[in-house]
Amino acid sequence: MATVDLSPLEKDLLDITQRDFPLSPRPYATLARRLNVTEEAVLGAFRSLQTQGVVGRIGAVWAQGAVGSSCLAALKVPSARLEAVAATVNAHPEVNHNYERDHPWNLWFVVAARDEPAREAVLDAIAAETGLPLLRLPMEQGHHLDLGFAIDWSAPAAPVPVTVPIPVKEKRP
Amino acid sequence: MTDPLRTEAVLTDQALIAATEGGLPLSPTPYADIAARLGVSEAAVTDRLRAMLADGRIRRIGAVPNHYRLGYTANGMTVWDVADDRVMELGAAVGQLPFVSHCYLRPRVPGLWSYTLFAMVHGRSRTETDAHAATIRALLGDALRGGEILYSTRVLKKTGIRTAGRQPVKETS
């Protein structure tokens, strides 16, 4: 796997700005003062982070519910049907994430619609179109909601085996 | 080209979300740029963002990193069946762990799904992520009735929220 080689400034910016991007008129200048560099250096570092694909965007992370109504859902898909079912699910524009996971419930996706009835209508349609068992798991209570996480800059990146058994398995509902 | 008839009164949450969901511009004055686009004052934009942060509709403003590009390739969704009377307290503790980026409480689905506590865990290898899961397991202690890690094996769709009929923005997290 290709790993990125980040400058000290890029690392500092990643550490600081996952949580605390300034709401000041010149936020990059505010960060620059804090890090004792120029505003242009900060802007250049962010451009570099984006070019390298390390940062997708700088912006607001919206809470669920602030923008319509969303729900995590899962399907238990026979492996022979996975591609076709994934395409059926993805064809709905309200589906914004869809992952294959290493589990009998193997297709996990998020449906976001303007309100709860619209969301449920999409989920009903997916259940009907696929004819498969569908889990609906809306969020009940969030803790530590997408706050970013601490990046350990000292540890080397390691390649990942693609298929290993699911290591934690005590019971299955 | 500010339209004098478009005052701060028409800065709707939807308009602000649509204007910022692709990320803040990498210009020295990102909030002023967004305000100009919306035809409102810069203060209207930053005041609204501040208010939405305060009331929780915005979780955070910041850089959204691509964990994968940083070498965090073993991203597991850990799911736990925790005693109902302990899950709020323990969920909050799990959310505080540095390697947990998201932590949610979700409903049980009788006969299909018994795990209520979801924690997204990031590691540079499955060995590292498994060790993080073991830390959670130890923290949950005797309130724990079972748990699993669901590793994502493929991203089948990943787009940003769509609220205003705009093109989806690519999100990396």
Side-chain angles (χ1 to χ4, degrees), chain A residues 39-146:
Chain A
E39 180 182 30
E40 190 39 55
V42 169
L43 281 163
F46 274 119
R47 263 181 227 114
S48 163
L49 286 167
Q50 291 199 330
T51 304
Q52 295 177 83
V54 172
V55 167
R57 65 190 172 95
I58 301 159
V61 176
W62 302 91
Q64 277 186 41
V67 188
S69 176
S70 67
C71 183
L72 178 69
L75 286 169
K76 202 178 268 190
V77 187
S79 56
R81 288 184 59 194
L82 191 74
E83 299 297 329
V85 170
T88 300
V89 170
N90 288 351
H92 291 270
E94 296 85 357
V95 171
N96 59 23
H97 290 71
N98 189 5
Y99 293 90
E100 182 188 2
R101 293 191 182 275
D102 191 0
H103 192 271
W105 290 101
N106 52 354
L107 202 61
W108 289 78
F109 52 94
V110 175
V111 171
R114 66 182 177 278
D115 54 27
E116 194 174 323
R119 179 192 91 189
E120 291 302 301
V122 173
L123 289 166
D124 290 344
I126 289 171
E129 287 161 11
T130 62
L132 292 167
L134 175 73
L135 277 182
R136 301 178 197 218
L137 300 169
M139 187 175 78
E140 289 190 343
Q141 174 81 37
H143 317 276
H144 198 235
L145 293 167
D146 192 4

Side-chain angles (χ1 to χ4, degrees), chain B residues 59 121 165:
Chain B
R59 293 176 194 161
V121 172

